[in-house]
Amino acid sequence: MDIVISEPIFLFFNLVKDFQSLIVGVIGFAGVIITIFVNNYLLRKQEMYIINQKRISISVAIATDLKLIAKGLTDTADCGEKFNSLPNSVFFGFDCSCTFETYDALVGDIGFLDQHVALKVVESRYLIRSFFHKIKALETKDIAICQTREFYDNQNSKIIKFQDPTVIKEVIELTNGYSKKLSKNNELIQVHIIIID
């Protein structure tokens, strides 16, 4: 029994046979193009993952730093309140050696953060600097300290001393106020971390 092939099928097979090199070339070229598009898509997805991981790590580092600074300010204010009950012969020392190592190390990467988070980070840095300038200004307001030679000898000291109870009260209020502002910024950054993750 002979197999009968209809005319259109026969023409199709002849066409394939005659143009097989062209057909293989087109299929191969299409495969290369598809591979390039898939690789490009996967590369973009991997880059976005890396950027998101970088955003999260920067946010966590800065939020943790802010939390520690705010806690340190709160602890200092608590010490100041306890100090007010002591006799006036002792000094209340305020450590101004707060470093900004985390911020300084990550300042080049802040651009990876979302706009509102980057704003809170820079604002927090400003708040911390502003706070320490105000603390140094309060030192000159403390008459008991300014009258001692020690004040003039220690102008570059990292420990600022207070003795006047009214000035110490201002230091406590200032410290508590800035601690609350930094804590609020920390909470906003923490919320951003949860959203990204």
Side-chain angles (χ1 to χ4, degrees), residues 19-78:
F19 295 103
Q20 67 184 353
S21 299
L22 178 64
I23 294 170
V24 169
V26 169
I27 291 172
F29 188 68
V32 169
I33 290 175
I34 291 170
T35 303
I36 289 171
F37 279 116
V38 168
N39 285 343
N40 192 18
Y41 169 77
L42 293 175
L43 184 63
R44 272 186 278 146
K45 196 167 183 162
Q46 183 181 14
E47 286 175 354
M48 288 307 298
Y49 175 78
I50 290 170
I51 289 172
N52 278 338
Q53 288 302 95
K54 199 166 196 172
R55 281 180 181 156
I56 290 171
S57 63
I58 293 168
S59 297
V60 167
I62 291 177
T64 303
D65 203 32
L66 285 177
K67 184 177 182 180
L68 291 174
I69 292 171
K71 183 178 178 347
L73 293 179
T74 302
D75 292 346
T76 303
D78 292 344

